[in-house]
Amino acid sequence: MSSPVGPILERLDAALSALPGVFSTAQWGGRAYKLPGPGGSLKKPKLLAFVVVLKGDEGVEVSFKLTRERAASVVNASGFIRPNSFGSLGRAGWLEARVTRLRQVETLRPLLTECRAMFGGIEAGSGSTVSVELSGRMAPRGAAKTVGRDRRTPAPANPVAAHIARVVEQARHELGWSPGDRDDF
């Protein structure tokens, strides 16, 4: 039985895009959902959530952050949500949800709203959204390494995004890795 990856992505996109102030960009082989940075800057956005298709279209992985205490309680109550596999991120409250069923998206909705509320700054229900569309394609996680930043993508200001950018740069430098065609992002 194959998973409904397309409908899962559509529902996640609808849930995240409906949150006040959220916009998305194709980034790191998936889709990064962000909020404008200080002063409404799109040049230094804050990472809210990251969505990527799992290898073999087995499902979708969603990364997002809650308070440490709340993250621990969510992990204990859920079979499909775990601490982020990047140790320091997991300890900071970042979670990974492995979504293989549409009903799991409904479980995530209030958690993603809770994640959005942690940022404050925009009144709930304002409905303001910014659309930044660089590319609609997502590469499956675990597929050929296609992590990289398009020159049109704002530099990450969020500590998590900055760390990921440093890891990518280190791979480029130490391993001679380079991204494929820029249209892959």
Side-chain angles (χ1 to χ4, degrees):
M1 182 171 100
S2 65
S3 67
V5 171
I8 288 172
L9 288 172
E10 288 173 10
R11 285 196 188 174
L12 282 169
D13 182 65
L16 285 160
S17 296
L19 296 172
V22 173
F23 66 97
S24 70
T25 61
Q27 199 165 357
W28 309 310
R31 181 145 302 274
Y33 291 84
K34 304 174 183 181
L35 291 166
S41 171
L42 293 179
K43 291 183 180 181
K44 296 187 177 187
K46 296 178 182 183
L47 182 63
L48 177 72
F50 180 69
V51 177
V52 66
V53 175
L54 295 168
K55 185 177 180 181
D57 287 345
E58 296 170 4
V60 175
E61 186 173 271
V62 182
S63 297
F64 61 99
K65 184 178 181 182
L66 297 175
T67 64
R68 290 179 193 170
E69 299 78 23
R70 181 69 172 127
S73 70
V74 166
V75 168
N76 290 333
S78 172
F80 74 101
I81 301 174
R82 65 180 189 262
N84 189 287
S85 58
F86 226 61
S88 60
L89 295 181
R91 289 188 297 275
W94 278 90
L95 300 170
E96 292 176 346
R98 185 182 175 110
V99 181
T100 57
R101 291 183 220 111
L102 287 170
R103 69 181 156 173
Q104 292 171 321
V105 175
E106 299 312 311
T107 302
L108 282 177
R109 278 182 190 267
L111 297 173
L112 295 170
T113 300
E114 192 175 329
C115 174
R116 169 60 185 94
M118 289 174 46
F119 288 92
I122 297 176
E123 290 183 32
S126 72
S128 63
T129 58
V130 178
S131 177
V132 177
E133 188 63 36
L134 299 179
S135 168
R137 268 178 45 187
M138 282 199 229
R141 174 167 245 163
K145 302 284 186 194
T146 58
V147 178
R149 287 195 343 229
D150 187 306
R151 292 189 191 275
R152 297 170 291 173
T153 303
N158 180 290
V160 174
H163 179 76
I164 291 170
R166 283 193 302 274
V167 170
V168 169
E169 288 303 317
Q170 182 179 4
R172 285 180 176 159
H173 177 72
E174 292 177 7
L175 304 174
W177 173 85
S178 64
D181 184 26
R182 286 199 181 276
D183 291 337
D184 288 344
F185 300 113

